[in-house]
Structure formats: structure tokens, C-alpha cells
Amino acid sequence: MSVLRPLDKQPGLNTATILLVGTEDALLQQLADSMLKEDCASELKVHLARSLPLPSNVNRPRIDLIVFVVNLHSKYSLRNVEESLHHVDATFFLGKVGFLITGAGREGHCSIHWNTVVRLARTYRSPLLFCDLEVEGFRATVAQRLVRMLQICAGHVPGVSALNLLSLLRSSENPALEDV
Amino acid sequence: MDETLAEFIKRTILKIPMTEMMTVLKAWDFLSEKQLQTVNFRQRKEPLVHDLVLLCEEKRASVHDAALLDIIYTQFHRHQKVWDVFQMSKEPGEDIDLFDMEQFKSSFVKILRRALKNVTVSFRDAEENSVWIRIAWGTQYRKPNQYKPVYVVYYSQTPYVFTSCCQLKSNIPLLGQNFETHNTAMPLQERTLELDIHMDSRIIHENRIEKERVQRVTQEAFGNYPQPRLEFAQYKLETKFKSDFNGDILAERKEPLRCLIKFSSPHLLEALKALAPAGIADAPLSPLLTCIPNKGMNYFKIRDK
């Protein structure tokens, strides 16, 4: 079974690669464009995939951060992400995976309850970001955050590792809901 | 102007909504600016129509003028009619004829008149090299019935002909004969499916092959051209409930579950076509959805076999 592992390749010089996984290609494409517009010292690469596993015979760089995109309007997108998660090695979930949820703004169109994705992120111990990707301003903001997260996950920010970032993000959650 | 003609003009103008009145009359271009200025367009519809009919009488409107008005009204309200589409095919080995609109019109009338004397034929050129033809049929002994005309829209640079529903089915072969002699199989412009090829080399699509498969499957199911405009489809299900869970109470029911699913959209078939490429559904789509244009149905009743 082809599984993504975080450290099975050598890193590229000054390169940071993010993998966006989601069914709605148009949204992923727009997010990728927004991220590449950001001013960044590292060389960014954005890989877009509909689902995992990735095609196996391809030469690709080491993936530093995986972001799973779920659209609350589409149960299909959630199911796709849930199935793709099985193809990610457990060690990736030490700060190198995130969930990005779109569609919360139009509540009437949501067929997934936001609590479902909150629980999903909690199960996988990974940060959860909400952003309506269709709105350009919000998309630019989340693109900035993702670029920053990506740089940290690629090791380009001295003194901060992916695991550090994860604990920082976690401690801001409601402590009553934290599992020990 | 005889009484029946005046009545026909009156009824035609009455159909026009007040908001469109000026636009239609200007497009008709039969009553002059001066004449139109003498009419009070702020009065209620019946007296307004009465005044307009009087002006038409003054100007001695003919059957053809009235027919032209009818065409213009129908062009404004084409969506209210049900249209059939015919595609002309070329015999292998035939040359492509050069199309001349005037020649087409005159031989069209000749062929119809040869078969039936009592017929009113009117033409109006429209957008994109198309011509609207209005035909009011009579019989051997009766004058044409202006209230039940047939419309034929022919796009001269294409093999397609649209007809509004023809009440007299026997006249369809006659229309067909007309088009056989004017076969111009000029191919339609191919509309290429544009794949968004992003130029930035820093973005890599991992599932390019899958994307291409989806595009191909969608194209096979829906074709290259714009879909017919449909606003809803309805499925009445009378099937037993199927569930993944064991011991589901609903699955144990012997009687079928009744359920109605309605899809509505400003342009339903284009929306269905966009589902798989947009990543909202798997390709191929269920044949229940893709069979709509083939079967010409949009109301379905589904029962267990």
C-alpha cells in the first residue's frame, strides 16, 4: 500500500512543498495561486491532488505539509478526505498535516455539520482552519498562514519545528476538550 | 382591410406585454414614428390596441404585415414555444452548395405553393445567419388559419432546422422536402473543451490522468456542444430502502419507500455536465441523469425490478 511518509526523501535546497488534497480542483487551484503570490524566501511548490494515494511512478519532491480541503457543502468531499487519510503515515501527523474547511459562510448549503470536521481534526491531532476559499480576501489570508506553516514544516524557520508549532496551536484550544 | 385581418392584428397586439409594446412596434417598423406619436401609450391596453389597429387600417396593413408582427412577437417569446430539432444529413459524395438566402426563400415558397395554394409564408432574417419562417396553413378550400402558424428557424450555416410544434403532422414531410433541396452541410464550429492549463510550473497536478479521464467520460456522455435548456427533472422512487447497516429498521420494510427527488436549476443539463469536472460527483454520472436528452424525458418513475 503506498503511503506518504514525511522523511523518506532528501529535502530540496531551500524548497518547501505543500500537498493540497481535495475534490474541488477549481478551489485548490485558486488557493495555490494565492499562496504563490506571497512573498517568500523559500522556493514554494504546490502539488494538487484529488485524493490519495498519489500515482506511484512519479518523481516528486519531499512533501513538507499536507492540507486536506473539505467543503461543508459536499459530503462527497468529506468522504474523499476520510479515505485519503488512510494513505498517510502516522508520523506525518506530528505537525505536518492540516485540515482546511471551506463553505461555512453559506450555512444554508452546508450538508456537513462543522462539528463533524472538528472531531475529524481532533482525531488526527491536527490543526483545523476555516476559510471560505471562494472569497478572495479570506483566501489570501489563509494562503499567508499556510505559507508560514509550510516554511516551518520544511524547517526553514530557525528555532521552530513542525512539532513546536503543533503544540503552540494546540495549547490555544479549550483545555477541557483536550485528551491527555 | 377586412374584418378577419383586423381581428387578427388586434389579437396579436393584445398578446404583447405593455413593457415590450414600444420595442416590438419599433422592430415591426410598419407604423411610422409620426403615427406612433399620435397614440397615447399611457392609456389602458384595450383602448391603446384599438387606436393601433385603426392606424394599421389607415396604412392598409396586409396579411404579410400582420404575419411579420406575429413573427416578431414569437421571436421575443421563443422560450414559450416547444421546438423540435432536425438535422440534415448530406449524402456522401455531394458537393457543398453555396447558399443564397434570396434563392432559398423564393424556392421555399414555390415548393409550398405547388402543393397547397392556401398558405401564407413569411420570412424574417435574424441573428447568426438564421431565417425565421412563418407558415400559416389552409386547406384546398379554406384560407390559411393565421392563429395556428408553424415556425421554422433555419440557421443557414448549419445542418439544423428548428420547428415549433406542428399541429398538422401531415405537413412535416412537405417542410422536409424544402430542406432536402437546399442541403448545405456546413460544419458547425467545433467547440473545444478548454482545460485550465495553469502556466505556473510551481503548481503540479498529481491526478492529471484522472482529470483527463473525467473530461473524456463527461464529453462522451454530454457531447461538445451546449446542452438543451432544461429547468428541472423529477424522479419518483418506489423502491425498497437499501442500507449499509445491518438490522436497519427501514431496510426490513416489505413495502417500497416512496420518495420524490426534484432537481431544479436555471440550466440543469449544463449543471449536471459540470458536476464531475468540478469534483462534486464521480464520473461517469448515473445513467438516470445522463439519459435525459436521449430519452427526451424528465419525469421518471423508478421501481425495483
Side-chain angles (χ1 to χ4, degrees):
Chain A
M1 190 166 89
S2 50
V3 163
L4 279 176
R5 283 175 224 283
L7 299 170
D8 62 350
K9 291 197 177 134
Q10 299 282 355
L13 192 59
N14 202 34
T15 312
T17 307
I18 183 174
L19 172 65
L20 298 175
V21 180
T23 50
E24 285 171 53
D25 190 61
L27 290 180
L28 297 190
Q29 181 79 66
Q30 286 178 314
L31 180 57
D33 289 337
S34 300
M35 283 182 73
L36 293 173
K37 285 205 188 99
E38 289 299 310
D39 238 331
C40 180
S42 322
E43 268 194 43
L44 296 183
K45 280 200 161 61
V46 183
H47 284 235
L48 305 181
R50 199 186 145 280
S51 61
L52 300 177
L54 297 178
S56 52
N57 50 353
V58 174
N59 204 6
R60 68 175 66 83
R62 184 185 78 170
I63 292 171
D64 299 302
L65 173 61
I66 307 177
V67 174
F68 290 95
V69 180
V70 176
N71 189 343
L72 289 180
H73 303 175
S74 161
K75 284 202 178 102
Y76 180 70
S77 75
L78 177 62
R79 203 173 56 228
N80 177 64
V81 162
E82 284 170 342
E83 283 168 9
S84 299
L85 280 162
H86 298 148
H87 297 270
V88 181
D89 185 65
T91 47
F92 241 115
F93 296 98
L94 294 171
K96 295 196 172 187
V97 172
F99 292 92
L100 179 55
I101 312 301
T102 183
R106 291 200 287 175
E107 225 184 303
H109 290 136
C110 290
S111 55
I112 304 168
H113 199 280
W114 60 266
N115 206 26
T116 310
V117 292
V118 167
R119 273 187 286 128
L120 179 68
R122 195 154 292 141
T123 308
Y124 285 92
R125 302 285 198 268
S126 295
L128 178 66
L129 298 172
F130 281 91
C131 166
D132 264 316
L133 289 175
E134 295 177 276
V135 181
E136 214 212 307
F138 298 160
R139 188 171 69 232
T141 310
V142 89
Q144 267 181 353
R145 293 182 71 177
L146 288 178
V147 168
R148 199 63 183 147
M149 276 174 72
L150 175 59
Q151 284 184 294
I152 293 171
C153 292
H156 294 186
V157 179
V160 189
S161 71
L163 206 48
N164 287 156
L165 179 62
L166 187 61
S167 352
L168 278 173
L169 289 174
R170 268 233 234 120
S171 62
S172 59
E173 280 177 27
N174 188 342
L177 299 167
E178 261 306 301
D179 311 13
V180 176
Chain B
M1 196 163 90
D2 74 8
E3 258 184 41
T4 46
L5 181 57
E7 183 64 24
F8 174 60
I9 295 183
K10 176 174 149 214
R11 295 222 202 151
T12 310
I13 304 182
L14 264 176
K15 281 196 296 190
I16 308 172
M18 285 301 275
T19 49
E20 289 171 13
M21 189 65 78
M22 242 334 189
T23 325
V24 172
L25 290 176
K26 287 220 168 97
W28 190 29
D29 203 23
F30 174 73
L31 297 172
S32 68
E33 275 286 339
K34 266 178 72 179
Q35 279 179 303
L36 287 177
Q37 273 169 12
T38 64
V39 178
N40 175 12
F41 279 89
R42 287 184 196 279
Q43 57 187 322
R44 281 182 58 242
K45 205 168 187 189
E46 285 96 64
L48 169 64
V49 173
H50 178 78
D51 289 346
L52 289 170
V53 174
L54 283 177
L55 286 179
C56 292
E57 279 193 11
E58 254 178 50
K59 224 176 167 185
R60 295 178 211 267
S62 67
V63 173
H64 289 287
D65 298 313
L68 202 59
L69 180 62
D70 199 15
I71 298 184
I72 296 173
Y73 170 78
T74 309
Q75 285 177 323
F76 270 80
H77 292 262
R78 61 187 78 181
H79 295 301
Q80 286 175 359
K81 278 206 164 328
V82 176
W83 298 90
D84 289 315
V85 188
F86 294 89
Q87 180 180 22
M88 295 184 284
S89 52
K90 218 160 178 51
E91 294 297 303
E94 273 186 58
D95 287 325
I96 296 178
D97 311 310
L98 286 174
F99 181 80
D100 179 64
M101 186 60 90
E102 295 311 309
Q103 197 186 31
F104 169 75
K105 287 182 193 174
S106 73
S107 44
F108 191 92
V109 178
K110 266 194 223 139
I111 293 176
L112 280 184
R113 283 260 159 78
R114 232 183 273 156
L116 192 64
K117 284 272 180 313
N118 282 325
V119 64
T120 313
V121 187
S122 323
F123 300 91
R124 187 166 195 258
D125 291 338
E127 74 287 334
E128 288 179 32
N129 285 316
S130 66
V131 58
W132 282 61
I133 311 171
R134 177 184 181 277
I135 307 159
W137 302 99
T139 67
Q140 220 180 356
Y141 305 106
R142 273 188 301 172
K143 296 194 93 177
N145 181 352
Q146 301 296 340
Y147 293 96
K148 293 215 166 116
V150 168
Y151 286 93
V152 178
V153 182
Y154 175 43
Y155 283 78
S156 62
Q157 303 300 314
T158 79
Y160 296 109
V161 176
F162 297 82
T163 62
S164 72
C165 54
C166 191
Q167 306 241 314
L168 300 164
K169 292 278 190 255
S170 55
N171 289 318
I172 291 183
L174 194 56
L175 284 177
Q177 223 180 22
N178 257 296
F179 285 96
E180 263 165 38
T181 56
H182 284 271
N183 215 334
T184 56
M186 300 259 186
L188 273 178
Q189 267 181 330
E190 290 244 329
R191 202 188 79 169
T192 49
L193 274 179
E194 279 157 40
L195 286 174
D196 246 295
I197 305 168
H198 197 87
M199 286 307 166
D200 196 330
S201 59
R202 294 176 292 173
I203 300 183
I204 291 109
H205 291 262
E206 292 281 351
N207 297 114
R208 189 180 42 87
I209 295 172
E210 173 63 14
K211 272 176 76 170
E212 284 168 7
R213 183 197 74 93
V214 167
Q215 290 283 11
R216 197 180 21 94
V217 168
T218 306
Q219 196 176 324
E220 277 165 16
F222 290 91
N224 264 336
Y225 305 111
Q227 301 295 306
R229 185 160 238 141
L230 188 65
E231 287 182 6
F232 59 89
Q234 196 170 289
Y235 297 84
K236 226 181 202 167
L237 297 178
E238 281 174 29
T239 57
K240 277 199 73 184
F241 188 82
K242 289 188 181 62
S243 162
D244 287 331
F245 304 119
N246 285 325
D248 200 311
I249 303 170
L250 282 173
E252 285 170 10
R253 272 172 70 105
K254 294 277 186 326
E255 313 93 57
L257 208 63
R258 279 169 228 280
C259 148
L260 183 71
I261 302 173
K262 187 172 176 186
F263 292 92
S264 60
S265 156
H267 203 326
L268 181 62
L269 293 173
E270 281 292 336
L272 292 176
K273 183 178 178 182
L275 282 180
I280 301 173
D282 278 324
L285 286 183
S286 159
L288 284 172
L289 294 171
T290 54
C291 72
I292 293 174
N294 278 346
K295 291 209 167 151
M297 291 163 55
N298 60 340
Y299 281 88
F300 296 90
K301 243 198 191 130
I302 301 166
R303 292 199 186 91
D304 284 320
K305 286 213 179 98

